[in-house]
Amino acid sequence: MDRFMSVTDISIDIEYASLSTIDATAKYLRDRGITEPEVGIVLGSGLNSYADRLKNAIRINYSEIPGFISPTVAGHYGEIIYGDLDGIKVIVLAGRFHYYEGHSITRVVFPYRVLIRLGIKRMIITNASGCINRNFEAGSLMLISDHINLTGRNPLIGANIPELGPRFPDMTDTYNKSLREAVKAEAAAIGIELHEGVYAGLTGPCFETPAEIRFLATIGADAVGMSTVPEAIVTNHAGLEVIGISCLSNMAAGIIEDKEITTDEVDQTGADVAETFAKVVDIAVRI
Ligand code: HPA
């Protein structure tokens, strides 16, 4: 426990918040051939098949990468895939670490900081989420326009690392508006309707209660999930272009009376939308 900074916030893991640890992992990946990634993508539950689209791929298992953790959750892979998409060098995180797995928030965001130090300019964050907005439907995709951080955690707490961004970063345009509009227009041009809305990030791992979903609707959330927010904070902190794509995998708790939420449904919806999802991520890479 002596890696943790204080009894009041056990979520700051100083070793993994340090630039030298982050840079050591970046060097490890560079030495393995990941030399000039431009765009990063993290794939959410049930969405991992996207990685197969990359050409000339280098694949490295998380278990081999210093500071990375093998995922504990079924449906979450644990692999970095680096390759080309139409000549653009893309690095995919197939599988993410979640706070609910018991990792410090510093550990959760560690891979994104490594990608930042490898030089990516854009981060595409994807996830599966529960749909709160009754005008949207399960099985559709939502561009994240903003988020509400309800995790009670902030990955920037602790000493600021100036090389990774300013002490007090602005969050006004976290999910880059002009890119969002461009992605939406291109998707519409190939017949894909994308919703746009606010993502509420909770820690999980419980799905929410119906009362919590009513509360989230009241405060302006359109979707709810257990990831994304810490990742968006650190990549926005570093000045990257951030694009968030949420697969609305189920209607949130209580919206359909007495219907329970299962991970099977989340994974099944991910598989059902895989093709559309891939087209939208392709657009987000190229735009
Ligand atoms: N709630 C939280 N996270 C989720 C959900 C949900 O309903 N569906 C997929 N991820």
Side-chain angles (χ1 to χ4, degrees), residues 7 47 77 91 95 130 148-149 157 166 193 207 220 239 241 260 277-278 280-281 286:
V7 278
L47 303 171
Y77 291 42
I91 183 165
I148 304 173
N149 181 6
I157 289 176
E193 191 211 344
F207 291 116
E241 296 170 344
E260 292 185 2
F277 172 79
V280 176
V281 177
R286 291 194 196 107

Side-chain angles (χ1 to χ4, degrees), residues 22-35:
I22 296 163
D23 282 351
T25 298
K27 179 179 182 318
Y28 171 88
L29 293 174
R30 236 181 256 117
D31 291 346
R32 296 278 308 258
I34 303 181
T35 49

Side-chain angles (χ1 to χ4, degrees), residues 45 128-131 206-208 213 224-226 247 249-253 261 266:
S45 316
S129 65
C131 179
C206 305
F207 291 116
E208 302 68 33
I213 295 302
V224 59
M226 309 174 191
C247 167
S249 46
N250 53 279
M251 294 312 286
I261 297 163
V266 174

Side-chain angles (χ1 to χ4, degrees), residues 122 177 246:
R122 178 177 299 173
K177 185 164 188 227
S246 204

